[in-house]
Amino acid sequence: MRIPLVEPSRLDSWRAAWSHRAVGRPKKRELRVSANRQQRLEHFNSHVYGHVEGWLGDRMWQIVNVIGTILDTNGVCGNIAEFGVHHGLFLFLLNALRNENELCFAIDVFDEQRLNVDCSGRGSLSVFLSHVESLMASQRRSFRIVQRDTMSFSTAEVVELFGKNGVKFFSIDAGHTVQHACNDLTLVQEVLVPGGIVALDDYMSVHWPGVTEGFYRFMNFQNRRLKPFLYFQNKLFLTTISEHGSCLQQFRTAIEATCSDEVRSGRWKGVEIAGSSCLSFA
């Protein structure tokens, strides 16, 4: 599947809105886009999006940019990771959040498709590696590949995998069964650093109802650390409980500054998901 290319010039208007928002507010922490993130987002929009097969909302790069600003503002550090990589599209976008001392972990069954019990995607190790070599060559040493079914991890193993740095952004897009979604959220909460972000793919998808059921099973029986704060383009975003209120407020402030017309028109709305206050985009 080919996805239409996003014009890199759209980054300029987004950055301009951030700069305008910061003017005259010296007593508050400014929300800024780091030079590394700007460069990587521009590279993603011009060289990756539309050239790597995958399913990703056309404005997800904007949300990742806002999240990156919030993580940097709050001093949140850690690795980047994804359960269920396919050909790497979303992970390459998340690489924009990575600082120089952090790594990107690609965890997928890849060519062991017998483990892909619900046929949710069809990863390929050779395709992913070719994309890393051709599109992310200067940063390829920052990628770590783990070919494994997420259902096979113990809590101890997943903690050992990410070490003392933990994970500051974790994308969950592996098996879409009830069991996979619940299992993966349970594992992720053990390695997410305080103030880190989780993105759960295909929440509320009519084609993959197991993800939604698995999410609520996790929330009702396994959750001890996570609360959702955002639903955008087929992904549900969660953060740690203690940081939920501040993260939601920071995100809301950013959206009101950069997408004021959408806020006024009602496309952004405050909702409740699993008992938590969230922003939702339609």
Side-chain angles (χ1 to χ4, degrees):
M1 179 175 79
R2 291 287 181 179
I3 305 173
L5 196 65
V6 177
E7 291 295 333
S9 61
R10 293 171 62 189
L11 283 168
D12 297 331
S13 60
W14 190 259
R15 288 199 298 266
W18 277 111
S19 300
H20 178 73
R21 181 75 176 89
V23 172
R25 304 288 296 278
K27 293 184 179 181
K28 293 188 177 182
R29 288 183 295 183
E30 295 181 356
L31 300 179
R32 295 179 177 175
V33 184
S34 72
N36 276 346
R37 193 161 72 253
Q38 286 183 10
Q39 185 179 44
R40 291 174 186 174
L41 286 172
E42 288 166 355
H43 175 77
F44 176 82
N45 281 330
S46 61
H47 292 87
V48 178
Y49 195 59
H51 300 278
V52 174
E53 180 185 291
W55 302 266
L56 190 65
D58 62 341
R59 291 177 56 187
M60 193 58 66
W61 65 273
Q62 294 176 337
I63 300 305
V64 167
N65 188 26
V66 174
I67 288 173
T69 300
I70 292 172
L71 292 175
D72 289 349
T73 299
N74 296 340
V76 179
C77 300
N79 297 310
I80 309 298
E82 183 167 39
F83 281 161
V85 176
H86 193 59
H87 294 173
L89 181 62
F90 191 39
L91 188 62
F92 295 149
L93 172 57
L94 296 179
N95 179 63
L97 304 177
R98 184 181 56 78
N99 295 319
E100 292 309 312
N101 61 336
E102 298 165 348
L103 300 172
C104 276
F105 286 80
I107 304 162
D108 198 298
V109 298
F110 289 113
D111 300 323
E112 295 290 330
Q113 286 298 305
R114 62 185 175 78
L115 300 173
N116 184 9
V117 295
D118 61 347
C119 299
S120 52
R122 188 169 292 276
S124 168
L125 183 57
S126 61
V127 172
F128 176 71
L129 287 173
S130 71
H131 288 329
V132 171
E133 288 295 328
S134 62
L135 301 173
M136 315 296 289
S138 65
Q139 301 170 72
R140 64 182 180 274
R141 292 185 178 180
S142 297
F143 284 84
R144 298 290 184 271
I145 298 171
V146 180
Q147 183 166 314
R148 187 163 175 178
D149 179 9
T150 61
M151 296 292 288
S152 72
F153 279 105
S154 68
T155 300
E157 286 174 321
V158 80
V159 169
E160 182 180 6
L161 176 63
F162 297 110
K164 63 181 181 180
N165 288 339
V167 179
K168 70 178 182 183
F169 195 110
F170 212 128
S171 168
I172 299 177
D173 193 12
H176 281 35
T177 67
V178 175
Q179 293 79 10
H180 275 90
C182 184
N183 173 78
D184 294 354
L185 283 163
T186 302
L187 292 174
V188 166
Q189 74 173 344
E190 300 304 328
V191 296
L192 192 72
V193 300
I197 305 294
V198 181
L200 177 64
D201 189 61
D202 277 325
Y203 172 77
M204 295 297 289
S205 168
V206 295
H207 288 166
W208 301 105
V211 173
T212 306
E213 184 177 345
F215 165 74
Y216 284 102
R217 182 177 296 185
F218 165 77
M219 294 298 290
N220 289 331
F221 301 108
Q222 302 294 332
N223 182 39
R224 64 181 189 85
R225 293 192 67 216
L226 304 180
K227 291 182 73 172
F229 73 94
L230 169 68
Y231 178 69
F232 185 87
Q233 289 190 331
N234 218 37
K235 293 184 185 292
L236 181 68
F237 295 81
L238 306 92
T239 189
T240 47
I241 290 173
S242 297
E243 290 72 25
H244 175 270
S246 59
C247 181
L248 175 60
Q249 184 55 54
Q250 286 174 301
F251 193 88
R252 188 192 305 273
T253 299
I255 292 303
E256 289 173 350
T258 57
C259 305
S260 56
D261 289 345
E262 292 179 345
V263 172
R264 285 193 296 269
S265 69
R267 295 199 69 188
W268 289 93
K269 182 181 179 181
V271 299
E272 185 176 285
I273 298 177
S276 298
S277 297
C278 297
L279 274 180
S280 180
F281 178 79

